[in-house]
Amino acid sequence: MKMTGAEILTSILAEAGISVVSGIPGHTVIDFALSVGAEREPARKAFTQLLVRHEATSMFAADAYFRVSGRLMAPFTHAFPGAANGITAAANAYADYSSLFWVLGNTASVGIGRGGYQELSRQIDDDLTQLVRPAVKRVWQPRSAADLAPNALSALREATTGRPGPVALNVSQEIWSQEVDVPGPPNVEGYLHATRPRPDADSVEAAARLLAEAKRPVILAGNGVNLARARARLRLLAETYGIPVATTASGKGAFPEDHPLSVGVAGWVGTGTANEATRSADVLLVLGARLAETTSSSWVPGATFTPSTTIIQADAEASGVANAYPVREALIGDLRSTLDDLHTALSDAKVGDLGEWHQHLDYARWQWATVAKHSQNGGSRGAVGTGAVVQALRAAYPGPINMVNDCGKHHKWVVQQLEAREDDYIVSSMGGASMGIGLAGAIGAQLARPECPTIAWLGDGGMSMSLAALPTVAEYNLPIVTVVIDDAAYGVVHNTQMASAGRIAFADFNGSGENPDYRLDFTKVAEGCGVAGRTVADAAELNDAFAWAKKTNGPAVITVLSDMASVQPTGGGQLRPLEDNSQKLVWSAE
């Protein structure tokens, strides 16, 4: 039978289980869009189609969709302008080891290098691949429709193998309509396999001995635990052997924080309990975390980690191990297999009594709870404390929830003080930390788990970058509750500049001082897009506002007029990006 290039790719995507396709079509990708929208065979479910107003919405949505569901979404873009609009989101996913299947429509081959409409060929002919290459795990460029099937299958495999990452298929316009004789349907099952490589058995045994002999063991769970769907295995290991668990900011949710073994998030904006646990540990089991700058408090000795701590690091790939700190045992393999093997190995070992260690952490937990409680005041009218908003949100949505956080000082409060509970998915971008993911990412989270309430948590700066996503939320009637913490500024920039220089520049939204009374009204913007909106000026209004949002049974925007001075308390973490701490770790102590 004959199939066009567009039919080949849509057939493979459907057979591979991709059900959501999103983008903005143009002439270079219009045949693919039409194939996605074509009627499917009765036995094959139709694609969910999401038309957006800006390509970044599709790309950020696909990133969060993968983080929440573990499934790929397929955003598509048109020529280099569409690709350029999506590239920040692709790089953000790549930096955080999230994944998506990116379909790039490219100028027809006959126009490349000859001034083809919307081509990018100034330095070399067809520079689109070079434009996106640093932002993805790998890019394929089929030369004909016959290449589409093998290229697509390779891309699907690469997207989820080892450490996940976004992949891209750069397809010239003429390939979509080219016909190919094919003997039958694509053999997707023969090329895509769910692999679970096991770590080296000797390394597992050595790691188990270290944990069994430890007097102050701690598990640090990164987002790799979430991506590997290894939460249940982590909980089994921790509960069986009584090992306290901290998470990274992006790993938040991997272990429920209302559990007695939880110490919260470690690192720069972490809890006092978690930082005390990780810096005091004699053995630290790191699961799916890089120990990067925000997790390690800029590698400052004694802030979050101590150089004398023995580290066991488990990761899907060797490249994720010992990037900064020296590691005693490396466990390279699927984290589910690693946790299974560790559990088995520890069952044969005699684990010591950890009662004294638990008492020490209980005291640290009590100390931190006192600090956190004092930080959760409601502020004043027109300057609401963000800590109070976080607590009201958690009370209104006890869980499980999907929550996608944009970057900014509002995000730090969630990392530190929102209690993650069983089956919550709390998405935090920490590798790229890109503003703009909050609302667009919430679209992906809602599509991934529609049975759970979805919260988009943004500052007013991030919301301003996300406004193109708001009509899509309204158009598809997605029941996303968007919370905007509005201090009329890039609040982190304002506070950092005031602390370091005593003045500000490029921080407040006031026309650079020429329009001090200006404030963007997000409630009116929401209503103009067809979304219910409400502004909260006093902490006493928070409970009613969240109750109102729940009753809308559709999208809602709550804007909280925020206190600029509302900054999360320190839990002992630090950020000193100019200090050369990490390079010193490569030298052995005398």
Side-chain angles (χ1 to χ4, degrees), residues 289-581:
R290 292 174 295 167
L291 305 185
E293 183 175 26
T294 55
T295 298
S296 66
S297 291
S298 296
W299 308 283
V300 174
T304 296
F305 303 120
T306 303
S308 61
T309 299
T310 296
I311 296 177
I312 304 163
Q313 195 166 6
D315 203 278
E317 294 182 356
S319 61
V321 171
N323 288 315
Y325 291 92
V327 170
R328 178 74 64 86
E329 292 295 338
L331 306 178
I332 309 303
D334 177 82
L335 281 181
R336 291 169 297 176
S337 299
T338 297
L339 287 165
D340 286 343
D341 291 354
L342 266 179
H343 189 274
T344 299
L346 277 168
S347 66
D348 296 329
K350 182 176 174 57
V351 179
D353 181 12
L354 300 179
E356 186 175 338
W357 177 224
H358 290 163
Q359 287 180 4
H360 177 83
L361 294 180
D362 284 343
Y363 180 66
R365 191 178 286 109
W366 172 81
Q367 288 182 307
W368 172 248
T370 303
V371 171
K373 185 70 174 176
H374 287 162
S375 72
Q376 294 164 5
N377 66 81
S380 59
R381 185 159 189 82
V384 179
T386 308
V389 187
V390 170
Q391 299 311 308
L393 171 65
R394 184 78 273 188
Y397 297 93
I401 60 172
N402 309 317
M403 186 172 189
V404 183
N405 298 288
D406 215 86
C407 185
K409 70 186 181 76
H410 63 285
H411 175 220
K412 298 176 177 66
W413 284 96
V414 166
V415 169
Q416 188 185 79
Q417 296 195 23
L418 182 88
E419 183 180 78
R421 295 174 184 165
E422 185 75 18
D423 209 27
D424 284 344
Y425 271 88
I426 300 173
V427 175
S428 293
S429 170
M430 298 303 295
S434 175
M435 296 177 73
I437 191 175
L439 183 54
I443 293 173
Q446 171 63 26
L447 293 172
R449 283 207 314 175
E451 69 277 12
C452 296
T454 298
I455 312 296
W457 179 261
L458 304 93
D460 54 312
M463 186 63 177
S464 297
M465 294 186 188
S466 304
L467 292 178
L470 200 53
T472 302
V473 173
E475 180 183 351
Y476 289 87
N477 197 32
L478 299 173
I480 296 168
V481 175
T482 300
V483 182
V484 183
I485 305 300
D486 181 5
D487 57 12
Y490 290 124
V492 170
V493 176
H494 176 107
N495 289 340
T496 301
Q497 290 180 340
M498 289 301 295
S500 62
R503 58 186 179 86
I504 61 168
F506 299 96
D508 290 10
F509 300 130
N510 60 8
S512 296
E514 297 299 317
N515 194 358
D517 296 326
Y518 176 80
R519 193 161 199 157
L520 180 58
D521 191 333
F522 292 105
T523 294
K524 289 182 179 178
V525 171
E527 291 172 346
C529 293
V531 176
R534 180 165 175 169
T535 300
V536 172
D538 194 290
E541 303 167 11
L542 287 168
N543 292 338
D544 286 344
F546 284 118
W548 163 82
K550 292 176 74 172
K551 288 178 182 177
T552 61
N553 293 319
V557 173
I558 298 173
T559 302
V560 181
L561 304 183
S562 175
D563 180 7
M564 178 68 75
S566 184
V567 178
Q568 88 288 343
T570 178
Q574 301 180 35
L575 188 67
R576 299 182 187 176
L578 298 180
E579 289 190 9
D580 182 13
N581 295 306

Side-chain angles (χ1 to χ4, degrees), residues 63-309:
D63 177 357
Y65 181 90
F66 181 79
R67 298 192 204 209
V68 171
S69 70
R71 304 187 303 272
L72 291 171
M73 179 173 155
F76 65 88
T77 55
H78 158 64
F80 88 82
N85 281 346
I87 202 165
T88 297
N92 190 77
Y94 190 34
D96 276 351
Y97 301 97
S98 183
S99 193
L100 50 87
F101 188 98
W102 187 4
V103 179
L104 295 138
N106 198 359
T107 302
S109 299
V110 294
I112 293 295
R114 298 175 177 85
Y117 185 48
Q118 293 185 306
E119 70 158 325
L120 187 65
S121 298
R122 295 295 296 275
Q123 295 188 13
I124 63 171
D125 285 354
D126 194 4
D127 241 352
L128 182 57
T129 292
Q130 301 307 315
L131 174 71
V132 304
R133 186 176 59 83
V136 296
K137 190 176 179 184
R138 197 184 189 290
V139 59
W140 284 258
Q141 189 165 10
R143 297 301 180 184
S144 70
D147 292 335
L148 271 174
N151 285 178
L153 290 170
S154 294
L156 287 165
R157 186 169 58 245
E158 185 70 21
T160 55
T161 299
R163 283 185 155 201
V167 294
L169 205 61
N170 179 9
V171 185
S172 298
Q173 181 182 350
E174 75 277 4
I175 290 176
W176 298 121
S177 57
Q178 289 175 357
E179 289 190 329
V180 180
D181 284 312
V182 298
N187 182 11
V188 172
E189 290 185 358
Y191 287 87
L192 304 181
H193 300 279
T195 58
R196 287 181 54 190
R198 311 199 85 87
D200 176 72
D202 290 341
S203 295
V204 171
E205 291 294 334
R209 285 194 298 272
L210 289 170
L211 286 168
E213 295 167 1
K215 291 180 170 54
R216 300 181 306 280
V218 172
I219 297 171
L220 178 65
N223 197 38
V225 174
N226 294 324
L227 295 175
R229 309 294 148 185
R231 289 177 168 189
R233 289 170 171 84
L234 166 60
R235 182 164 182 168
L236 178 63
L237 183 76
E239 290 180 341
T240 302
Y241 302 105
I243 304 175
V245 179
T247 74
T248 65
S250 60
K252 189 178 179 77
F255 193 81
E257 291 175 349
D258 55 353
H259 193 287
L261 287 172
S262 172
V263 294
V265 174
W268 167 37
V269 295
T271 69
T273 317
N275 283 324
E276 172 61 19
T278 53
R279 67 170 163 257
S280 300
D282 57 356
V283 175
L284 183 68
L285 172 61
V286 180
L287 301 172
R290 292 174 295 167
L291 305 185
E293 183 175 26
T294 55
T295 298
S296 66
S297 291
S298 296
W299 308 283
V300 174
T304 296
F305 303 120
T306 303
S308 61
T309 299

